């Protein structure tokens, strides 16, 4: 696994990864209407471009494929953490969160926060986050 910075060229791939993650990992916690509202089948790439440009983005590549990504602010707010369902439970989310934490702390953040989904909550709790 290689963790690399994201760029504007990654927007479509990250929107697709997000959609796959929500629909592939979310059904245990959310119903179909909630999943469609959270991640429409056709992502709004303009919205995604605007969203990602405001964040530090790191992408985990495994064998040349984007397996997951994290989007965070240097002040310590973790806005996005998603792993493709085909790569779930392999430590990718943990590695991405660790990278975001290290970079935010290096930028001066003293605490990290997030608003985790029901799907992501266990991963954040395992990393030491508290509700």
């Amino acid at each position: 696994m290689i963790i690399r910075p994201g760029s504007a060229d990654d927007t479509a791939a990250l929107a697709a990864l997000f959609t796959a993650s929500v629909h592939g990992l979310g059904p245990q916690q959310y119903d179909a209407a909630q999943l469609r509202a959270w991640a429409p089948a056709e992502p709004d790439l303009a919205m995604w471009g605007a969203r990602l440009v405001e964040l530090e983005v790191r992408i985990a590549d495994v064998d040349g494929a984007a397996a997951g990504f994290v989007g965070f602010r240097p002040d310590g707010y973790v806005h996005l953490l998603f792993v493709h369902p085909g790569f779930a439970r392999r430590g990718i989310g943990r590695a991405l969160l660790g990278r975001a934490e290290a970079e935010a702390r290096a930028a001066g953040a003293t605490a990290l926060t997030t608003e985790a989904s029901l799907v992501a909550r266990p991963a954040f709790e395992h990393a030491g986050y508290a509700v």
Side-chain angles (χ1 to χ4, degrees), residues 1-11 13-14 56-62 64-70 96 99 103:
M1 172 174 53
I2 297 169
I3 297 178
R4 64 173 176 83
S7 73
D9 292 339
D10 296 306
T11 301
L14 296 185
E56 297 294 324
V57 176
R58 302 297 176 263
I59 301 168
D61 285 336
V62 175
F69 71 100
V70 63
L96 287 164
R99 176 67 63 89
E103 290 189 32

Side-chain angles (χ1 to χ4, degrees), residues 3 5 12 20 23 26 30 42 55 61 67 77 84 87 96 100-102 107-108 115 119 123:
I3 297 178
H23 289 279
Y30 299 98
E42 293 296 324
L55 300 169
D61 285 336
Y77 181 69
H84 190 282
F87 294 96
L96 287 164
E101 290 171 344
E115 296 174 34
V119 176

Side-chain angles (χ1 to χ4, degrees), residues 76-118:
Y77 181 69
V78 180
H79 186 63
L80 301 163
L81 178 62
F82 289 90
V83 174
H84 190 282
F87 294 96
R89 309 247 188 281
R90 296 187 192 179
I92 291 166
R94 183 174 36 252
L96 287 164
L97 185 56
R99 176 67 63 89
E101 290 171 344
E103 290 189 32
R105 285 194 176 106
T110 57
L112 284 90
T113 60
T114 193
E115 296 174 34
S117 69
L118 295 173

